[in-house]
Amino acid sequence: MIKLSGKQILVFLQVHYEFVKEIFDVSKPDFILDSDTLNKYIEEYNLNHERKISITKLIDVKFCRQLPTKDYKVNRSYIDFLQFLFDDFTLDLPETLKERYKTIFELFSKLKTADKTSKIVVLITNIINVIDVFLNDIHRQTQRLLIDTESLKVNANEYSDLSKRLEKAIFWIDEYIEPLNKILEKGHPESFYSAIVEIQSYTSEKRYVAESYKLKREYAKLYASTLYARTELDQNLQKLTRELKPLLDRIKSDSIILSGFYHFVENIDYPEKFIIPIPHPIKKTKGNPIFKKFDSEAQFYVDQFNYKTADTFYVEQVEDLEWLPDSTYFKEQLLKEKGVSDFYKWCFDILKQHTEEITLSKYFTITNLLLEEDLAVDYNSDERNEIILDDAILMMPKVKIYERISNKT
């Protein structure tokens, strides 16, 4: 038997990378190929590459082995490494993950009763390994489900048929999402998450009270491993409950609705195939198209605007207008005076002869005579007199007014 070094295996993967990737893809998910198929890929590869490959070479580097059925199966160690390398993982049924819980529970039960240091160290190492393997499996499962669900969401070619999409969504929900949720469920006493919490609580104390420094160190390692595991499990649980499950449920419901619609359109000429008969669109039916509760609430809302306010009538008081002579009359009276030494006082006095209520508007009607062109005005004094009206008190200058004498040519 040829003893291989790690370097030889890495060189093989580097030199024949395209071949390894192709065999990895075509052999999924069980990574088994029949003899004819494998020979076909080898021949095609050798035609295009200088460095040849053969089945003997593949067996020598332990890439695959021949089964009793003459088929060839890729080595498990290569599968795990290539899945990590290509970030392409196959889905395992959750029953495989359930076995991890049984294993870790048995190891933890033995750890609590172990009294020999060597035994305790071995048990702690095994528990840490089981936790690491479980986290790796959970991560692979979640990533694979996310990738496949995304392709299902965007309606990839392989899932373009609505019935296939619906079938795939239901399968993933029933066979993977729901079982994984139970395995990771925090409140379930037999879930892996509960086992991690129990181990964390136990090691949290033991890392301080163990008999020796070596044991304290080992318990501290296990404690750190459980802390990391809880964080990783929380993140994966969030992806399952907040991303995958709602997305698959939406795809499932959408596919059901669309499938029903397509069934309706395809059989529109064959109404007998419908489970529920199609109502005639022209047929008169007695019924209220408005929901009764909405109708009553809407009527209540509208009624508040249907009230009428009482009509209010206001009796307008008509002011009796007092008759006064016009400005022409007052101008004639002014001209008869042959000049007035105090014009504003004269206005007040003559107005008083015709009315008892002397207002500002009435008063100014007469004082506007100052603007007449045939009257001359003299302001020779700074003296002012107080004029008391019914609605105002004025301080008016002493103004002399008389008729202007026109020049005759």
Side-chain angles (χ1 to χ4, degrees):
M1 179 181 290
I2 301 174
K3 186 176 182 180
L4 293 172
S5 66
K7 186 176 181 180
Q8 288 175 301
I9 294 176
L10 292 176
V11 169
F12 163 76
L13 292 175
Q14 181 182 13
V15 173
H16 305 292
Y17 180 87
E18 292 81 4
F19 176 81
V20 171
K21 180 68 168 65
E22 190 172 30
I23 296 301
F24 175 85
D25 291 334
V26 299
S27 64
K28 289 187 300 184
D30 51 11
F31 299 100
I32 296 176
L33 286 175
D34 60 74
S35 178
D36 293 338
T37 303
L38 182 58
N39 281 312
K40 173 189 171 184
Y41 280 105
I42 291 175
E43 290 175 4
E44 292 177 355
Y45 178 80
N46 289 337
L47 287 174
N48 301 313
H49 295 81
E50 293 182 3
R51 304 187 70 169
K52 309 303 180 182
I53 201 168
S54 64
I55 290 181
T56 303
K57 172 79 172 185
L58 295 177
I59 294 175
D60 289 343
V61 295
K62 300 180 180 178
F63 179 77
C64 62
R65 68 179 188 276
Q66 190 173 27
L67 302 176
T69 57
K70 305 301 181 181
D71 295 331
Y72 290 88
K73 180 173 177 58
V74 181
N75 190 301
R76 184 75 247 177
S77 298
Y78 275 97
I79 293 173
D80 293 338
F81 177 70
L82 294 177
Q83 284 183 337
F84 169 77
L85 187 65
F86 301 141
D87 194 22
D88 187 356
F89 304 99
T90 56
L91 284 174
D92 297 326
L93 287 174
E95 281 72 14
T96 305
L97 299 177
K98 288 182 181 179
E99 297 300 320
R100 303 274 191 269
Y101 168 78
K102 295 179 181 179
T103 302
I104 199 170
F105 181 78
E106 293 174 359
L107 292 173
F108 181 53
S109 298
K110 294 178 181 179
L111 177 64
K112 289 189 290 186
T113 58
D115 53 1
K116 295 182 178 180
T117 301
S118 58
K119 182 68 172 178
I120 293 173
V121 172
V122 171
L123 289 171
I124 288 176
T125 302
N126 287 336
I127 292 175
I128 291 175
N129 290 337
V130 172
I131 292 175
D132 289 342
V133 172
F134 180 81
L135 292 179
N136 183 58
D137 289 345
I138 286 293
H139 173 74
R140 292 191 302 113
Q141 299 284 82
T142 307
Q143 288 299 110
R144 183 72 256 178
L145 284 171
L146 282 171
I147 294 172
D148 291 347
T149 305
E150 187 65 24
S151 67
L152 196 64
K153 182 184 71 171
V154 299
N155 199 14
N157 293 332
E158 60 268 29
Y159 302 125
S160 57
D161 189 335
L162 284 174
S163 60
K164 291 182 180 179
R165 295 179 68 203
L166 177 59
E167 180 183 351
K168 200 68 177 179
I170 294 174
F171 174 75
W172 281 339
I173 291 174
D174 294 342
E175 299 298 330
Y176 289 97
I177 306 299
E178 295 295 348
L180 281 177
N181 274 336
K182 292 179 181 179
I183 293 172
L184 301 179
E185 188 177 356
K186 294 182 180 181
H188 198 285
E190 295 184 359
S191 70
F192 194 89
Y193 192 96
S194 298
I196 293 295
V197 172
E198 188 176 352
I199 295 172
Q200 179 186 343
S201 177
Y202 178 78
T203 54
S204 177
E205 178 183 357
K206 281 291 186 178
R207 61 191 173 128
Y208 295 114
V209 300
E211 297 177 356
S212 64
Y213 172 80
K214 181 179 181 180
L215 287 180
K216 290 179 181 179
R217 176 62 180 159
E218 293 299 320
Y219 279 117
K221 291 179 184 178
L222 182 54
Y223 176 76
S225 180
T226 56
L227 283 180
Y228 175 76
R230 288 189 65 177
T231 303
E232 287 292 304
L233 292 177
D234 284 337
Q235 292 177 356
N236 283 279
L237 190 59
Q238 286 182 359
K239 290 179 181 179
L240 288 172
T241 56
R242 296 183 183 180
E243 297 181 36
L244 278 171
K245 183 63 164 56
L247 180 58
L248 285 172
D249 285 338
R250 192 158 59 249
I251 292 172
K252 177 181 175 182
S253 60
D254 290 348
S255 298
I256 292 174
I257 294 171
L258 289 175
S259 297
F261 178 72
Y262 285 154
H263 175 72
F264 173 79
V265 172
E266 290 174 354
N267 297 280
I268 192 66
D269 296 327
Y270 308 97
E272 64 276 3
K273 293 186 178 182
F274 297 138
I275 300 176
I276 300 175
I278 304 175
H280 197 285
I282 310 299
K283 183 180 178 181
K284 293 183 179 180
T285 57
K286 184 179 180 181
N288 192 347
I290 301 176
F291 183 48
K292 290 184 178 180
K293 185 176 180 181
F294 172 79
D295 181 45
S296 61
E297 291 180 354
Q299 188 64 40
F300 175 78
Y301 176 77
V302 172
D303 285 346
Q304 63 181 315
F305 302 103
N306 290 338
Y307 67 89
K308 294 183 178 180
T309 56
D311 295 330
T312 304
F313 298 94
Y314 297 94
V315 179
E316 184 178 358
Q317 294 182 351
V318 181
E319 182 181 358
D320 294 332
L321 298 177
E322 185 178 14
W323 180 87
L324 286 175
D326 58 13
S327 58
T328 304
Y329 167 78
F330 289 111
K331 182 177 180 181
E332 292 176 352
Q333 298 301 315
L334 180 61
L335 294 175
K336 288 179 181 180
E337 295 289 338
K338 302 297 184 181
V340 175
S341 59
D342 191 346
F343 172 71
Y344 288 110
K345 187 175 183 306
W346 177 86
C347 292
F348 179 79
D349 292 338
I350 195 170
L351 193 58
K352 198 170 184 180
Q353 295 175 11
H354 297 278
T355 180
E356 295 181 355
E357 184 180 354
I358 303 175
T359 62
L360 196 62
S361 62
K362 294 176 182 179
Y363 184 69
F364 282 159
T365 301
I366 302 176
T367 59
N368 284 340
L369 293 172
L370 282 173
L371 304 176
E372 296 289 335
E373 294 182 355
D374 55 346
L375 294 176
V377 180
D378 288 336
Y379 299 92
N380 296 324
S381 174
D382 293 334
E383 181 182 354
R384 290 179 176 271
N385 297 321
E386 185 180 75
I387 305 296
I388 301 175
L389 307 177
D390 287 358
D391 55 356
I393 298 176
L394 306 175
M395 295 299 294
M396 307 303 291
K398 190 174 182 180
V399 177
K400 185 178 180 179
I401 190 169
Y402 51 88
E403 184 178 4
R404 187 186 301 277
I405 299 175
S406 60
N407 296 325
K408 295 180 181 179
T409 56

